[in-house]
Amino acid sequence: MSELSTTTDVVIIGAGPAGALAAKWLVDRGVRVEVIEARYFPRFSIGESLLPQSMHYLEEAGLLHVLEEGGYQHKNGARFDQDGTSVDIDFRDKFTDGYGTTCQVERADFDHRLIRAAEQAGAVVHFGARISDFTADTQAPCLTITPDEGPVRHLTARFVIDASGFGRVLARHEGLMRAPGLSERTAVFAHIEDHISDPGYDREKILLGAHASEAERWFWLIPFANGRASLGFVERAHRLTSLGDTPEAQHQALWKSFPYLTELLKDARLVREPATLGGYSADVERLHGPGYVLVGNAGEFLDPIFSSGVTIALRSARDAAALVYRSLQGDNVDWHREFELPLRQGISVFRAFVDAWYDGSLATIIFHPDPPAYLKRMISAVLAGYAWDTTNPFVAAPRKHLASLAALCKKETA
């Protein structure tokens, strides 16, 4: 089979939210962009609950209309459940200025709308194509693209953005993977018709729950606008096999382990078979190299507990696109100082909150019977995605303040 050689300004690997936003941002400024996506859209994905901070990045890229046109479920906060006791966090009541509401989306539709918007703006998108080789270079990085149909193509660009998500194409190719420093956990998830009749249930909030005795096993319930919902569970990987030999059996066992959830969803039925995702936490030695940058899950992913994945993906894509554009204009970009350090600062805030969830200290804070309003607003801001606002003490020094507040809450409730 013959091979082709072509050129463009920027190649983006992956057509998910990060890839679509970067593509739209760049083509709006006259940059030639080609997006290479291994799968065909629409395609299923988890990560359905957005954070309000995401709205800023979608707005900056001219993509807010995607949410308006999608008719998605409105979201204004999170409800935390502990053995039937619930506490609401309202994202509209937060320390940091900015959006306090967002949406919960079925990602197959949401992601498809985003990449179509980028394509309509001028990005060239290739579905069913994989990166089979890559040569890093500060001036002319080159990719070998193997499509499901047609000839192999050698594509030379001026810059490459890897937004390949869990595929982590360039991180694997360039040997950048490193241990994430988080325990290995597995998500077991499905879509349901929820048929919730409880008048106290709030569809405008994601529901997150765990037992008071253990936060290692927890659930999410993300309602959609069409009466369906995403129902998922997270469990330590080594304990999952004791619950069943199949994702279906594991999902049912985890579901039954939460009496409150069993009662709430007593009339629910599955509309998508359960599946699992393990080993999702990942990290890399660096987020950039000669002629390329890693954004979103292609670089680092923590944990699904606070729905930070899409927010980090959109933030990193926005920042990377702006710096790539400067680079194309001839500016000398310091990728470590201008991209990696600021991005990782926000990720480290989310990591501190993830750790605080699993060690139980965050639950101690959240379920305190009478938390000071100003502290609750600070925590609400982080949970709404505002992890880069260093005027918030829980962003500037998250571990210190979470530990101090948890210790105080324990003392007051002892």
Side-chain angles (χ1 to χ4, degrees):
M1 182 180 293
S2 62
E3 297 185 0
L4 302 175
S5 295
T6 56
T7 62
T8 192
D9 290 331
V10 175
V11 172
I12 298 175
I13 307 171
L21 184 141
K24 175 66 163 54
W25 198 98
L26 288 166
V27 296
D28 281 349
R29 288 155 180 80
V31 178
R32 294 181 302 153
V33 175
E34 291 197 31
V35 180
I36 311 299
E37 169 57 51
R39 301 170 69 182
Y40 295 91
F41 281 37
R43 56 89 179 95
F44 177 81
S45 180
I46 59 171
E48 300 107 332
S49 192
L50 305 184
L51 299 182
Q53 173 77 88
S54 299
M55 305 292 279
H56 290 284
Y57 311 134
L58 293 170
E59 182 178 42
E60 289 174 351
L63 290 169
L64 268 186
H65 67 89
V66 167
L67 291 175
E68 297 163 0
E69 294 165 1
Y72 302 120
Q73 173 64 52
H74 186 260
K75 174 186 175 183
N76 61 27
R79 173 167 292 180
F80 290 87
D81 176 81
Q82 191 177 78
D83 299 324
T85 298
S86 296
V87 171
D88 288 345
I89 302 292
D90 191 331
F91 293 157
R92 295 165 297 184
D93 184 20
K94 62 186 188 321
F95 177 84
T96 305
D97 291 337
Y99 283 97
T101 61
T102 184
C103 296
Q104 314 208 106
V105 302
E106 290 193 67
R107 287 283 302 280
D109 182 74
F110 177 65
D111 292 9
H112 194 204
R113 288 177 183 272
L114 285 179
I115 195 61
R116 281 195 311 181
E119 194 171 24
Q120 290 166 0
V124 177
V125 184
H126 305 277
F127 294 100
R130 290 165 175 79
I131 308 302
S132 52
D133 198 10
F134 173 71
T135 302
D137 187 89
T138 56
Q139 301 298 319
C142 184
L143 307 97
T144 300
I145 301 168
T146 303
D148 290 344
E149 297 181 1
V152 171
R153 186 160 61 107
H154 302 289
L155 178 56
T156 300
R158 298 171 65 190
F159 211 96
V160 176
I161 299 175
D162 185 358
S164 58
F166 292 121
R168 300 178 179 119
V169 172
L170 295 192
R172 298 182 191 279
H173 188 279
E174 296 295 287
L176 301 177
M177 302 295 295
R178 69 180 181 187
L182 293 168
S183 297
E184 186 174 348
R185 301 180 177 94
T186 297
V188 188
F189 50 88
H191 279 186
I192 60 173
E193 285 183 356
D194 58 69
H195 296 289
I196 295 173
S197 57
D198 183 346
Y201 178 67
D202 187 352
R203 297 194 73 87
E204 295 194 346
K205 291 179 174 63
I206 182 176
L207 176 62
L208 303 167
H211 297 300
S213 59
E214 181 184 34
E216 287 287 348
R217 175 186 293 182
W218 61 272
F219 71 83
W220 76 72
L221 180 65
I222 302 171
F224 301 134
N226 57 7
R228 294 186 175 187
S230 173
L231 175 62
F233 304 88
V234 170
E235 175 62 284
R236 292 289 290 268
H238 72 276
R239 299 195 303 197
L240 198 58
T241 54
S242 66
L243 300 176
D245 297 329
T246 66
E248 292 82 2
Q250 293 164 358
H251 193 266
Q252 281 295 316
L254 289 163
W255 190 342
K256 290 178 181 178
S257 73
F258 292 96
Y260 167 72
L261 195 62
T262 303
E263 174 61 23
L264 183 68
L265 299 174
K266 61 181 183 295
D267 298 319
R269 71 176 188 89
L270 290 171
V271 293
R272 182 180 181 86
E273 292 185 356
T276 62
L277 178 62
Y280 47 72
S281 296
D283 196 6
V284 292
E285 293 179 359
R286 56 181 173 7
L287 295 172
H288 58 93
Y292 69 87
V293 63
L294 314 180
V295 300
N297 297 348
E300 182 171 2
F301 182 79
L302 297 173
D303 191 274
I305 179 61
F306 300 122
S307 305
S308 62
V310 174
T311 296
I312 293 170
L314 295 178
R315 167 106 186 185
S316 59
R318 188 280 309 268
D319 291 352
L323 293 172
V324 167
Y325 183 73
R326 276 182 44 201
S327 179
L328 297 182
Q329 304 307 305
D331 284 359
N332 184 21
V333 174
D334 185 337
W335 282 95
H336 183 69
R337 182 180 62 83
E338 298 182 66
F339 177 77
E340 179 146 356
L341 288 181
L343 182 63
R344 287 196 186 271
Q345 188 276 330
I347 293 173
S348 71
V349 175
F350 285 123
R351 180 185 285 266
F353 273 69
V354 168
D355 290 342
W357 170 266
Y358 284 109
D359 69 22
S361 58
L362 187 60
T364 299
I365 296 169
I366 289 174
F367 288 96
H368 188 280
D370 188 26
Y374 75 97
L375 292 176
K376 191 172 182 178
R377 295 182 72 245
M378 291 175 181
I379 290 174
S380 176
V382 175
L383 298 182
Y386 294 90
W388 288 269
D389 176 14
T390 55
T391 65
N392 184 342
F394 287 87
V395 171
R399 294 187 185 278
K400 171 186 173 182
H401 289 287
L402 285 169
S404 298
L405 184 55
L408 180 62
C409 289
K410 285 181 181 179
K411 183 178 180 180
E412 290 183 351
T413 56

